[in-house]
Amino acid sequence: MQEGISETLKDTLAEVTDLSRAAALLEWDQETYMPPGGVQSRAEQISTLLRLSHVRFTSEEVGRLLDQLEDDVAKLPFDSDEASLVRVTRRDYDEATKLPPDLISEIARAGSMAQPVWQKARREEDFSLFAPYLEKNVELNRRIADAIGYDDRPYDALINRSEPGMTTAQLEAIFAELKRAIVPLAADIARHADSVDDRVLYRGFDPDLQLAYALGLVKRLGYDLERGRQDLSTHPFSTAFGPGDVRITTRVSRDFFNECLFGSIHESGHAMYNQGMGQNIDRTPLWGGASPGVHESQSRFWENLVGRSLPFWRHFYPSLVATFPEPLRGVDEEAFYRAVNRSYPSLIRVEADEVTYNMHVLLRFELENEMLEGTLKVKDLPEAWNARFKSYLGLNVPNDREGALQDIHWSYVSFGIFPGYTIGNLISAQLMEKIRTEIPDLEAQIGKGQFAALLGWLRKNVHRHGRKFTPNELLERVTGKPLTAAPWIAYVQQKFGALYGLQAARH
Amino acid sequence: MQEGISETLKDTLAEVTDLSRAAALLEWDQETYMPPGGVQSRAEQISTLLRLSHVRFTSEEVGRLLDQLEDDVAKLPFDSDEASLVRVTRRDYDEATKLPPDLISEIARAGSMAQPVWQKARREEDFSLFAPYLEKNVELNRRIADAIGYDDRPYDALINRSEPGMTTAQLEAIFAELKRAIVPLAADIARHADSVDDRVLYRGFDPDLQLAYALGLVKRLGYDLERGRQDLSTHPFSTAFGPGDVRITTRVSRDFFNECLFGSIHESGHAMYNQGMGQNIDRTPLWGGASPGVHESQSRFWENLVGRSLPFWRHFYPSLVATFPEPLRGVDEEAFYRAVNRSYPSLIRVEADEVTYNMHVLLRFELENEMLEGTLKVKDLPEAWNARFKSYLGLNVPNDREGALQDIHWSYVSFGIFPGYTIGNLISAQLMEKIRTEIPDLEAQIGKGQFAALLGWLRKNVHRHGRKFTPNELLERVTGKPLTAAPWIAYVQQKFGALYGLQAARH
């Protein structure tokens, strides 16, 4: 590799990274500490930073440097830092330069016009207000797909932007498999709803103690507070400004235990991913999550596969009882484990449990595709939503606010985001299946509150690579297979079969 | 004015402003919430933002636009937004472009090499370690002065960078006047030291209550918490990210009352200045303090002329006693007022009281000038420092850590900063003299806890103008005179004469 050229590219990429990390801090501050009066200046600043970052990254100079470097790295191993840097930067560069500036502005304008209308439509529970804006957004998504290009289905272009390498066909096959397994499982659980009682979670837990307990717990999992911190925000999130500064936020409700603790575990799962990325890829496009789906796999891994497991509570429950003796009086660890795993069909995706969550995603994936391909008209969306909701989860949707107007995503032009949530769930189980073969006494370790081997495995196999590999590449490398639904299906059938005492036939 | 050209310039200046405000938020976060691991990435990010801001601002395009605009605004009033914008931007532009890039890099390198040595020299109380680095810094300051240019004294070039329009001659005359008045006053006070007892301040005050009381108090003064907030940091400061987001930090000591309360008032004085700057000059070089000295005048105004006045404590003392009944037992408002105004010679500038503070600055001003002009050799600095300290404040300096190695300023190449502190003190009294003629019942208002008229006056006459006027221009406009020491001398002679029961002859 021509050293000089590579350094020029690296300097530019470092600058681009610095700008977007600075923007991320401005966003973090906006959600945590910024006084109300700061809104306007903050919007200006973030917009300037992101614009400069985009302009710098999409410069012709970067394209020229990549052209030169692609020959140089052709003989280097696929997973070498240099070859990966050129390959991933090229992918980002092509994606960033394929959208014409006019389309980018139109997308930004459409989003900022649609969002207040979406909010109004929600308040008034009137989808028809939002329909014309969603129609515009569907059209813009089609134009994005056309600009990016695709072989088979327009959705391929969109899903590729967030989950590189995934195809609509791959996802359709996976969702079909999920539907076959989960619709009957959820129905079976609903018939045995009485088996699990979660009223203990609503008995009232002191908020300050919840925050302190959650922070102590995520520290035990391996979230490094020398390189992170926890603050409060309306919507919990995780964000990273570099390998040494990866933060989480949480919220806390006296009246519902799950929010703070499982929210904190979830966000610390995201954060441990970023904390585990190699210094060797810092300040390059390789530093970051392989995809939103892979990122979500880390948060769901810790939240559900670890944090909602019985060995986990065998270890932590005594200290939880010592912290909250009153609300936990008369509840043993197994009852508590059952409570935090209660599964039931619900209207709102972000509140859904492990079993039903993917059905919410499936619904959106299908509807996005149909709108994009014109087989579903926007005006017919609520009807389609409600019919499918009934069919998948057995619930009647009482209004569009809790139905087709539920998510903010469709108000800013961005189809193809939702599948990442399910991809994350599936990856977490696919990784766990592999981990169990490599750390045979994992359950015993978790039961003793020991997470170092587990985190070490994730660091070595997932975290340190950052964006070097696409989701499927990563999974093939680590588990020998691309994304597959089987491990996750087996996991929920086994776990919830036992929890709800379902017929052995199904698990 | 050619509208199109002006908009181009304004867009560039807005971008430059956004970048430096973003850098300021990154610095705020670094001092308040950043985890220890964030140091390296944060340094990279701030450096990138400031470099891009500098590059953008010093571009030839900005110079060309200014050339064109200078003709256009020639006929506009001096204080119009347009004429002021072009005039002040030109001043900044010339200053920023006059230093050759090589010199800028050399300054940065010298600073980062000198600082750790300065810290080591302090620890070991050994000036000789630091001397070669200070020699280098003196040489660099000379080269800065040469690059910027000056008519009379090299220090003129340096002082002009922070206090535009000020000359060494003007400051020398002012400091001479101060010396004549303050050296005997401080000596007189020292002879009557027993008149004031401040032991109440060390009786132990609950830190959380101190923070809450201080925040409530600065809110009463007029610091708008919808557009600001208070956080903790090791060294208190104020910082602004726009008209709607101006923050202060404070620190709190159980064992010394003054730190939190007067620190908070001081910083809120800075912050109210920024909160009062006009929206019409937002995102331009006009938005900001007229100079560090003028900024300091606002903080010292509220801290000392308001916050250390008797009417102020007549109003606030009852609520202070209600908050801290134990430590304040048996102390009445006048005794408390006397305690917070205790004056005594001390070694450390940042801990000095109102009377002696300017002597610390005078000392540094003289020594900087002499080093710059070669009449004082760096190796002889400690001796000169100690001799002058004895002569001005009557104290023997026990070691260089508390003497010539006291301030960080000389470790990063920047002479000409210290006078701003005294300029601030003098301006605060010069403004107050004028205010008393325009708000005759000011004392009564303060005694009732009413600050709206006072803040309104400062807004109208000082704050809203931002950087439109130089310090002397502003003072001429508001008080009819350039900077003058007389009002401040009269103020301390009267106040401390009364406090210490000095002979009427002196006040």
Side-chain angles (χ1 to χ4, degrees):
Chain A
M1 176 140 50
Q2 296 166 46
E3 207 48 50
I5 292 175
S6 167
E7 288 309 311
T8 310
L9 182 63
K10 280 185 177 173
D11 285 349
T12 303
L13 297 177
E15 200 172 280
V16 168
T17 307
D18 289 343
L19 285 167
S20 49
R21 285 176 177 175
L25 181 77
L26 268 60
E27 283 162 354
W28 171 86
D29 179 74
Q30 182 167 293
E31 301 301 324
T32 51
Y33 295 113
M34 190 183 80
V39 172
Q40 193 196 322
S41 296
R42 185 55 50 87
E44 292 160 357
Q45 291 149 12
I46 291 173
S47 153
T48 292
L49 294 179
L50 295 181
R51 190 182 62 250
L52 290 177
S53 167
H54 179 80
V55 167
R56 198 88 186 84
F57 182 63
T58 57
S59 70
E60 287 177 16
E61 190 203 8
V62 169
R64 257 196 319 276
L65 290 168
L66 284 171
D67 290 343
Q68 294 169 327
L69 287 167
E70 271 161 351
D71 289 339
D72 298 336
V73 300
K75 289 184 202 104
L76 294 175
F78 183 83
D79 62 354
S80 68
D81 288 355
E82 289 78 8
S84 301
L85 177 64
V86 173
R87 182 177 67 248
V88 171
T89 306
R90 163 62 72 190
R91 192 180 78 209
D92 291 350
Y93 183 79
D94 287 350
E95 190 199 303
T97 51
K98 268 183 182 166
L99 297 189
D102 284 357
L103 181 55
I104 294 176
S105 319
E106 209 175 331
I107 291 167
R109 263 200 313 279
S112 55
M113 285 176 67
Q115 274 198 35
V117 180
W118 169 74
Q119 279 162 343
K120 183 160 189 276
R122 271 172 65 81
R123 273 195 309 275
E124 305 187 3
E125 298 182 359
D126 182 356
F127 179 81
S128 70
L129 293 175
F130 180 57
Y133 294 85
L134 182 54
E135 263 163 34
K136 175 71 182 171
N137 286 356
V138 170
E139 182 223 318
L140 285 169
N141 271 297
R142 272 193 212 114
R143 285 167 58 193
I144 293 170
D146 289 342
I148 292 176
Y150 52 89
D151 289 334
D152 188 14
R153 310 272 296 274
Y155 204 80
D156 288 343
L158 303 180
I159 187 75
N160 238 298
R161 297 173 82 198
S162 50
E163 303 292 332
M166 293 276 173
T167 64
T168 314
Q170 184 186 11
L171 289 176
E172 279 179 340
I174 283 170
F175 275 119
E177 201 179 340
L178 286 175
K179 186 157 39 170
R180 276 194 304 277
I182 301 310
V183 170
L185 176 63
D188 213 357
I189 289 172
R191 279 189 297 274
H192 295 75
D194 292 348
S195 310
V196 173
D197 176 355
D198 70 350
R199 281 174 300 180
V200 59
L201 304 174
Y202 302 87
R203 281 187 191 165
F205 294 79
D206 177 81
D208 288 339
L209 290 178
Q210 282 192 64
L211 286 167
Y213 190 86
L215 190 61
L217 192 147
V218 298
K219 199 177 160 190
R220 287 284 303 282
L221 300 181
Y223 175 48
D224 179 0
L225 287 168
E226 288 291 302
R227 300 186 290 139
R229 52 176 291 118
Q230 180 174 52
D231 299 273
L232 290 172
S233 68
T234 311
H235 300 285
F237 62 97
S238 163
T239 182
F241 318 126
D245 193 353
V246 185
R247 307 187 188 180
I248 62 175
T249 71
T250 190
R251 60 183 166 191
V252 59
S253 157
R254 176 181 293 277
D255 298 324
F256 183 40
F257 175 82
N258 286 6
E259 210 155 82
C260 177
L261 188 82
F262 289 103
S264 296
I265 299 176
H266 181 98
E267 299 309 333
S268 75
H270 283 301
M272 286 187 279
Y273 186 9
N274 282 89
Q275 287 189 335
M277 289 167 194
Q279 283 280 357
N280 52 314
I281 53 173
D282 186 29
R283 290 179 100 201
T284 76
L286 295 180
W287 201 92
S291 76
V294 176
H295 231 307
E296 193 73 4
S297 80
Q298 297 308 293
S299 56
R300 304 289 272 185
F301 187 97
W302 290 98
E303 178 193 356
N304 289 333
L305 280 74
V306 175
R308 281 193 167 90
S309 75
L310 189 53
F312 182 88
W313 286 109
R314 288 213 195 285
H315 177 75
F316 281 106
Y317 197 65
S319 68
L320 192 73
V321 171
T323 310
F324 303 103
E326 270 312 311
L328 297 179
R329 191 179 304 280
V331 176
D332 67 16
E333 67 201 26
E334 179 146 353
F336 190 78
Y337 159 73
R338 297 173 69 80
V340 300
N341 279 295
R342 186 178 159 224
S343 169
Y344 56 99
S346 62
L347 294 166
I348 307 296
R349 175 181 58 85
V350 296
E351 296 166 4
D353 62 83
E354 273 192 276
V355 176
T356 57
Y357 191 98
N358 293 328
M359 292 296 100
H360 291 263
V361 177
L362 161 60
L363 173 86
R364 287 155 176 82
F365 169 72
E366 290 179 346
L367 296 172
E368 283 190 345
N369 251 302
E370 292 165 25
M371 286 192 285
L372 200 65
E373 298 183 351
T375 55
L376 173 66
K377 292 206 165 27
V378 165
K379 72 172 172 51
D380 300 327
L381 175 68
E383 201 180 324
W385 178 291
N386 298 353
R388 236 165 288 200
F389 212 91
K390 179 77 178 176
S391 140
Y392 298 161
L393 288 166
L395 288 186
N396 294 312
V397 177
N399 57 58
D400 292 339
R401 188 169 48 77
E402 295 173 281
L405 289 172
Q406 181 175 132
D407 302 290
I408 198 172
H409 302 56
W410 287 341
S411 76
Y412 54 88
V413 183
S414 62
F415 282 10
I417 299 296
F418 288 115
Y421 299 114
T422 284
I423 291 170
N425 289 329
L426 304 190
I427 293 177
S428 69
Q430 192 168 341
L431 291 174
M432 185 55 111
E433 190 182 63
K434 181 69 180 176
I435 292 168
R436 287 191 190 284
T437 68
E438 302 201 354
I439 310 179
D441 66 335
L442 181 68
E443 294 224 345
Q445 291 190 19
I446 292 176
K448 284 183 275 188
Q450 294 168 354
F451 304 97
L454 177 57
L455 180 57
W457 191 96
L458 292 169
R459 287 259 146 97
K460 174 166 171 281
N461 290 285
V462 180
H463 299 177
R464 70 187 170 99
H465 302 307
R467 300 179 70 225
K468 262 190 188 177
F469 308 113
T470 66
N472 281 324
E473 284 166 2
L474 184 71
L475 287 168
E476 297 241 22
R477 217 180 126 94
V478 179
T479 71
K481 284 179 229 160
L483 183 67
T484 159
W488 184 81
I489 291 172
Y491 156 71
V492 290
Q493 284 179 338
Q494 193 274 326
K495 175 174 175 179
F496 289 87
L499 273 163
Y500 281 87
L502 308 181
Q503 292 171 22
R506 185 153 289 126
H507 43 96
Chain B
M1 175 140 49
Q2 296 167 45
E3 207 48 51
I5 293 176
S6 166
E7 288 309 312
T8 310
L9 182 64
K10 281 185 177 173
D11 285 349
T12 302
L13 297 177
E15 201 172 279
V16 167
T17 306
D18 289 344
L19 285 166
S20 49
R21 285 175 177 176
L25 181 77
L26 268 61
E27 283 162 353
W28 171 86
D29 179 73
Q30 182 167 293
E31 302 301 323
T32 51
Y33 295 113
M34 190 183 80
V39 172
Q40 193 196 322
S41 296
R42 185 55 49 87
E44 292 161 357
Q45 291 148 13
I46 291 173
S47 152
T48 291
L49 293 179
L50 295 181
R51 190 182 64 250
L52 290 177
S53 167
H54 180 80
V55 167
R56 198 89 186 84
F57 182 63
T58 56
S59 70
E60 286 177 16
E61 190 203 7
V62 169
R64 256 196 320 275
L65 290 168
L66 284 171
D67 290 343
Q68 293 168 327
L69 287 167
E70 271 161 351
D71 289 340
D72 298 336
V73 301
K75 289 183 202 104
L76 294 175
F78 183 84
D79 62 355
S80 67
D81 288 356
E82 289 77 8
S84 301
L85 177 64
V86 173
R87 183 177 68 246
V88 171
T89 306
R90 163 62 72 190
R91 193 180 76 208
D92 291 350
Y93 182 79
D94 287 349
E95 191 199 302
T97 52
K98 268 183 182 167
L99 297 190
D102 285 356
L103 181 55
I104 294 176
S105 320
E106 209 175 331
I107 291 167
R109 263 200 314 278
S112 55
M113 286 176 66
Q115 274 198 34
V117 180
W118 170 73
Q119 280 162 342
K120 183 159 189 276
R122 270 172 65 81
R123 272 196 308 275
E124 305 187 3
E125 298 183 0
D126 182 355
F127 179 81
S128 71
L129 294 175
F130 180 57
Y133 294 85
L134 182 53
E135 263 164 35
K136 175 72 182 171
N137 286 356
V138 170
E139 182 223 318
L140 286 169
N141 271 297
R142 271 192 214 115
R143 285 166 58 193
I144 294 170
D146 289 342
I148 293 176
Y150 53 89
D151 289 334
D152 188 14
R153 310 272 295 274
Y155 204 80
D156 288 343
L158 303 180
I159 187 75
N160 239 297
R161 297 173 83 198
S162 50
E163 303 292 332
M166 292 277 172
T167 64
T168 314
Q170 184 187 10
L171 289 175
E172 279 179 340
I174 283 170
F175 275 119
E177 201 180 339
L178 286 175
K179 186 158 38 169
R180 276 194 304 277
I182 301 309
V183 170
L185 177 63
D188 213 358
I189 289 172
R191 279 189 297 274
H192 295 75
D194 292 348
S195 310
V196 173
D197 176 354
D198 69 350
R199 281 173 300 179
V200 59
L201 305 173
Y202 302 87
R203 282 188 189 164
F205 294 80
D206 178 82
D208 289 339
L209 290 179
Q210 282 192 63
L211 286 168
Y213 190 86
L215 190 61
L217 191 148
V218 298
K219 198 176 160 190
R220 288 284 303 282
L221 299 182
Y223 175 48
D224 179 359
L225 287 168
E226 288 291 302
R227 300 187 290 139
R229 52 177 290 119
Q230 181 174 52
D231 298 273
L232 290 172
S233 68
T234 312
H235 300 285
F237 62 97
S238 163
T239 182
F241 318 126
D245 192 353
V246 185
R247 307 187 188 180
I248 62 175
T249 71
T250 191
R251 60 183 166 192
V252 60
S253 156
R254 176 181 293 276
D255 297 325
F256 183 39
F257 175 82
N258 286 6
E259 211 156 81
C260 177
L261 188 83
F262 289 103
S264 297
I265 299 177
H266 181 98
E267 299 308 334
S268 75
H270 282 301
M272 287 187 278
Y273 186 9
N274 282 90
Q275 287 189 335
M277 289 168 193
Q279 283 280 358
N280 52 314
I281 54 173
D282 186 29
R283 289 178 100 202
T284 76
L286 295 180
W287 201 91
S291 76
V294 176
H295 231 307
E296 193 72 4
S297 80
Q298 297 308 293
S299 56
R300 303 289 272 186
F301 187 98
W302 290 98
E303 178 193 356
N304 289 332
L305 280 74
V306 176
R308 281 193 167 89
S309 75
L310 189 52
F312 182 88
W313 286 109
R314 288 214 194 285
H315 176 75
F316 281 106
Y317 197 65
S319 67
L320 192 73
V321 171
T323 310
F324 303 102
E326 270 312 311
L328 296 179
R329 192 179 304 280
V331 176
D332 67 16
E333 67 201 26
E334 178 146 351
F336 190 78
Y337 159 74
R338 296 172 69 80
V340 300
N341 279 295
R342 186 177 159 225
S343 169
Y344 56 99
S346 62
L347 294 166
I348 308 296
R349 175 181 58 85
V350 297
E351 296 167 4
D353 62 82
E354 272 192 278
V355 176
T356 57
Y357 191 99
N358 293 328
M359 291 297 98
H360 291 262
V361 177
L362 161 60
L363 173 85
R364 288 155 176 81
F365 169 72
E366 290 178 346
L367 296 172
E368 284 190 344
N369 250 301
E370 292 165 25
M371 286 191 284
L372 199 65
E373 298 183 351
T375 55
L376 174 65
K377 292 206 164 30
V378 165
K379 72 172 172 52
D380 300 327
L381 176 68
E383 201 181 324
W385 178 291
N386 298 352
R388 235 164 289 199
F389 212 90
K390 179 77 178 176
S391 140
Y392 298 161
L393 288 165
L395 289 186
N396 294 312
V397 177
N399 57 59
D400 292 338
R401 188 168 49 76
E402 295 173 280
L405 289 171
Q406 180 174 133
D407 302 289
I408 197 172
H409 303 55
W410 286 341
S411 75
Y412 54 89
V413 183
S414 62
F415 282 10
I417 299 295
F418 288 115
Y421 299 114
T422 284
I423 291 169
N425 289 328
L426 304 190
I427 293 177
S428 69
Q430 192 169 341
L431 291 174
M432 185 55 111
E433 190 181 63
K434 181 69 180 176
I435 291 169
R436 288 191 189 284
T437 68
E438 301 201 354
I439 311 179
D441 65 335
L442 180 68
E443 294 224 344
Q445 291 190 20
I446 292 176
K448 284 183 274 187
Q450 294 168 355
F451 304 97
L454 177 56
L455 180 57
W457 191 96
L458 292 168
R459 288 258 147 98
K460 174 166 170 282
N461 290 285
V462 180
H463 299 177
R464 70 188 169 99
H465 301 307
R467 301 179 69 225
K468 262 190 188 177
F469 309 113
T470 66
N472 281 324
E473 284 166 1
L474 183 72
L475 287 167
E476 296 242 21
R477 218 180 124 94
V478 179
T479 71
K481 284 179 229 161
L483 182 67
T484 159
W488 184 81
I489 291 172
Y491 156 71
V492 289
Q493 284 179 337
Q494 193 274 326
K495 176 175 175 180
F496 290 87
L499 273 163
Y500 281 87
L502 309 182
Q503 292 171 23
R506 185 152 291 125
H507 44 97

